[in-house]
C-alpha cells in the first residue's frame, strides 16, 4: 500500500511540472553487474563499524550454488533474492547516479528536470528535448565508468504531457499508446 501511494505521489509530481518528455531508463542486469570494489568503497564512506562492513563484504562474496551443487563465489553483483540487495542497490546508485544528477541538473539543463528513482528504476522528466538527449548520452558514460550499462531495448525517451497527443502520430494498431510514442 505504501509503495502504491509513493508511485501515485511521484506520478502527480511529474504531471504537475512542465515536462514534455520522459526518459524511462533501465540498467542492463543491474543486480548482476554491481562492482564490489566500488560498492565497498561507498559503504565504507557511510559506515564506520568494521564488523558490519565485514559482514556486508561476506554477504557479497557468499556466492551461489550452480545446477550441479557446486559453490560459485561471488565476484561481481549482489546476491539474488538477498534481503540486503535492494539496500545495497540504493547505496550504489546514490553515489553513482543521485550525487551526479543533482549538479548535472543545475549546470547542464536548460529546462526543468524531474527525477524519480526507486532502487534501480528511474524515470526522468524533461521540459527541453535537447536536455533529454544530452542526459541520455552522459548518464550512459557515467554508468560505464562504474561498470553499468543502459539496456538499449528498454531505455526510451517518450513524449509526455498535455501536448503529447497532438504532437504524436496516432498509431493505428495501438491507439491507447498515443502519448507513449518514442521520439528518440
Amino acid at each position: 500500500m505504501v509503495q502504491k501511494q509513493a508511485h501515485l505521489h511521484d506520478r502527480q509530481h511529474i504531471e504537475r511540472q512542465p515536462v514534455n518528455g520522459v526518459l524511462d531508463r533501465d540498467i542492463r542486469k543491474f543486480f548482476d553487474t554491481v562492482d564490489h570494489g566500488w560498492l565497498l568503497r561507498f559503504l565504507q564512506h557511510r559506515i564506520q563499524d568494521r564488523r558490519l562492513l565485514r559482514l556486508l563484504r561476506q554477504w557479497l562474496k557468499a556466492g551461489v550454488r550452480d545446477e550441479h551443487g557446486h559453490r560459485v563465489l561471488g565476484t561481481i553483483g549482489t546476491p539474488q533474492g538477498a534481503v540486503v540487495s535492494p539496500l545495497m542497490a540504493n547505496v550504489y546508485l546514490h553515489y553513482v547516479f543521485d550525487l551526479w544528477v543533482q549538479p548535472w541538473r543545475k549546470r547542464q539543463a536548460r529546462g526543468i528536470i524531474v527525477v524519480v528513482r526507486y532502487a534501480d528504476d528511474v524515470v526522468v522528466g524533461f521540459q527541453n528535448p535537447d536536455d533529454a538527449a544530452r542526459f541520455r548520452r552522459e548518464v550512459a558514460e557515467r554508468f560505464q565508468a562504474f561498470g553499468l550499462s543502459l539496456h538499449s531495448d528498454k531505455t526510451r525517451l517518450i513524449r509526455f504531457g498535455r501536448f503529447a497527443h497532438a504532437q504524436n502520430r496516432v498509431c493505428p494498431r495501438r491507439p491507447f499508446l498515443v502519448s507513449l510514442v518514442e521520439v528518440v
Side-chain angles (χ1 to χ4, degrees), residues 2-18:
V2 173
Q3 185 178 5
K4 195 175 205 179
Q5 290 173 343
H7 287 301
L8 179 61
H9 172 72
D10 296 340
R11 180 178 163 214
Q12 290 171 347
H13 186 70
I14 287 177
E15 287 178 346
R16 290 184 181 144
Q17 298 296 325

Side-chain angles (χ1 to χ4, degrees), residues 22-163:
V22 173
L23 179 67
D24 181 14
R25 175 188 59 71
D26 185 70
I27 302 172
R28 183 183 307 275
K29 298 184 179 182
F30 173 72
F31 288 96
D32 297 334
T33 58
V34 169
D35 184 281
H36 287 187
W38 280 114
L39 179 57
L40 291 170
R41 280 185 227 151
F42 298 152
L43 291 169
Q44 288 170 358
H45 186 258
R46 303 291 289 211
I47 300 172
Q48 299 299 314
D49 186 346
R50 292 187 184 276
R51 294 173 296 175
L52 181 56
L53 288 169
R54 187 177 71 235
L55 177 63
L56 292 170
R57 188 177 299 111
Q58 289 173 344
W59 208 322
L60 281 174
K61 306 290 182 194
V64 294
R65 299 250 179 224
D66 66 9
E67 63 272 3
H68 304 295
H70 300 105
R71 185 172 167 213
V72 179
L73 296 179
T75 56
I76 194 165
T78 60
Q80 289 290 332
V83 175
V84 76
S85 288
L87 175 67
M88 290 186 179
N90 272 324
V91 169
Y92 198 78
L93 287 175
H94 171 73
Y95 286 94
V96 172
F97 182 73
D98 298 344
L99 294 179
W100 173 83
V101 78
Q102 296 306 328
W104 191 95
R105 179 190 305 189
K106 291 177 184 172
R107 292 185 199 131
Q108 302 290 328
R110 292 187 209 130
I112 292 173
I113 295 179
V114 179
V115 179
V116 179
R117 183 174 74 80
Y118 181 78
D120 66 323
D121 296 320
V122 176
V123 173
V124 185
F126 296 92
Q127 181 180 22
N128 184 332
D130 295 335
D131 287 342
R134 190 170 54 255
F135 181 86
R136 186 176 184 171
R137 284 189 310 272
E138 292 180 20
V139 77
E141 292 171 9
R142 172 73 176 179
F143 283 173
Q144 192 172 23
F146 291 92
L148 302 173
S149 64
L150 294 177
H151 195 292
S152 59
D153 294 338
K154 294 182 180 178
T155 299
R156 61 195 177 132
L157 181 61
I158 52 179
R159 290 184 194 245
F160 183 82
R162 62 185 180 179
F163 301 114

